[in-house]
Amino acid sequence: MSSYTPEVDGLPDPGEVVWTWVPYEDDPERGKDRPVLVLGRVAGGLLLCLPLTSKDHDRDAEQEARWGRHWLDVGSGGWDAAGRPSEVRLDLVLRLPEAAVRREGATLDRDIFDAVVEAARDFHPDL
């Protein structure tokens, strides 16, 4: 289901980090604009995405795992103007309409994309 096909064409493609509104888990009425990694497309024009953060979860990985949240370092890229290193959340797949994407941020390196997909399959075998 996940295939690396980024094209800098203004459309969200697997392998790209794009920006969109992501609701908070504890209050879906609220949220924030954040980068997500596009993994693929599914029926109905929905994108499968994983959220990114610049917060370092290495120091609280044990606590995060107790809450069911699992992260993988993906480094820095053009999606963060400050050049901060990012982590991708592996256990939470967002299904977002393509129209919800506001802009392309950058393309993730192919090897890192493949590592993310492989790690996310531990939580979502159908990827």
Side-chain angles (χ1 to χ4, degrees):
M1 177 154 323
S2 301
S3 61
Y4 186 82
T5 56
E7 289 184 43
V8 181
D9 57 4
L11 301 173
D13 300 307
E16 293 179 352
V17 176
V18 298
W19 284 79
T20 188
W21 178 260
V22 176
Y24 294 134
E25 286 181 86
D26 59 344
D27 184 358
E29 298 296 316
R30 299 180 59 218
K32 69 185 216 179
D33 201 44
R34 66 179 316 118
V36 297
L37 172 62
V38 179
L39 298 180
R41 286 188 169 81
V42 294
L46 296 177
L47 301 170
L48 297 179
C49 302
L50 298 176
L52 274 75
T53 184
S54 58
K55 182 177 179 187
D56 182 7
H57 287 289
D58 290 342
R59 60 181 171 242
D60 64 352
E62 193 173 300
Q63 176 184 343
E64 284 290 291
R66 278 196 305 271
W67 288 100
R69 296 185 293 249
H70 301 273
W71 302 87
L72 179 68
D73 293 324
V74 294
S76 59
W79 57 86
D80 186 293
R84 297 172 294 186
S86 295
E87 295 182 5
V88 63
R89 185 166 171 189
L90 300 170
D91 60 280
L92 179 63
V93 174
L94 304 170
R95 286 167 168 67
L96 304 170
E98 189 170 325
V101 171
R102 285 197 257 302
R103 65 180 169 92
E104 288 177 298
T107 299
L108 198 65
D109 176 79
R110 173 66 186 257
D111 291 336
I112 296 172
F113 177 82
D114 290 343
V116 168
V117 171
E118 186 63 32
R121 283 188 176 131
D122 289 345
F123 305 97
H124 309 281
D126 57 334
L127 287 179

